[in-house]
Amino acid sequence: LLRGRKQHRVQDRSVALPVGAMMAARIRRLETQLQEVDTALADSPPPPPLGREVSGADVIVTIGTSALVEQVADVVRRIEEVVNQAYTYRRVSRADVRDRLAMG
């Protein structure tokens, strides 16, 4: 009995640790993981340059609608590519883009 101190069982259920000891172990694991991330970042090549600076005059904003699909060739494919490149994974499909454009 630990005189009122909470106990939690670890995954193998064979050892009970006080909450404070569990938190200390968790902090040590997280610090180790952060050190590994810092090392990986330090060893990685620098990011590519961002490209040229643009002014507001270089940017045109168009609200997408289903009419835009008929007016601009490949607009669905182009929107799909921009979104998926921005997220770095397949976030939307062409069907998703068409559905969103239909909503206006």
Side-chain angles (χ1 to χ4, degrees), residues 1 10 16 19 34 39-40 44-45 47 53 56 62 67 75-77 82 84:
L1 188 53
V10 292
V19 172
L34 286 172
T39 301
S44 64
E53 298 235 352
T62 303
V75 72
V76 172
R77 179 191 57 78
V82 167
N84 290 336

Side-chain angles (χ1 to χ4, degrees), residues 38-79:
D38 286 341
T39 301
L41 289 173
D43 294 342
S44 64
L50 294 175
R52 71 179 180 87
E53 298 235 352
V54 297
S55 70
D58 296 328
V59 177
I60 299 171
V61 176
T62 303
I63 305 301
T65 63
S66 52
L68 184 68
V69 176
E70 297 170 11
Q71 296 168 357
V72 180
D74 280 345
V75 72
V76 172
R77 179 191 57 78
R78 291 164 46 195
I79 292 172

Side-chain angles (χ1 to χ4, degrees), residues 82-98:
V82 167
V83 171
N84 290 336
Q85 285 176 4
Y87 279 92
T88 67
Y89 67 93
R90 187 175 164 90
R91 174 78 168 83
V92 296
S93 67
R94 290 185 187 170
D96 293 330
V97 172
R98 280 189 204 92

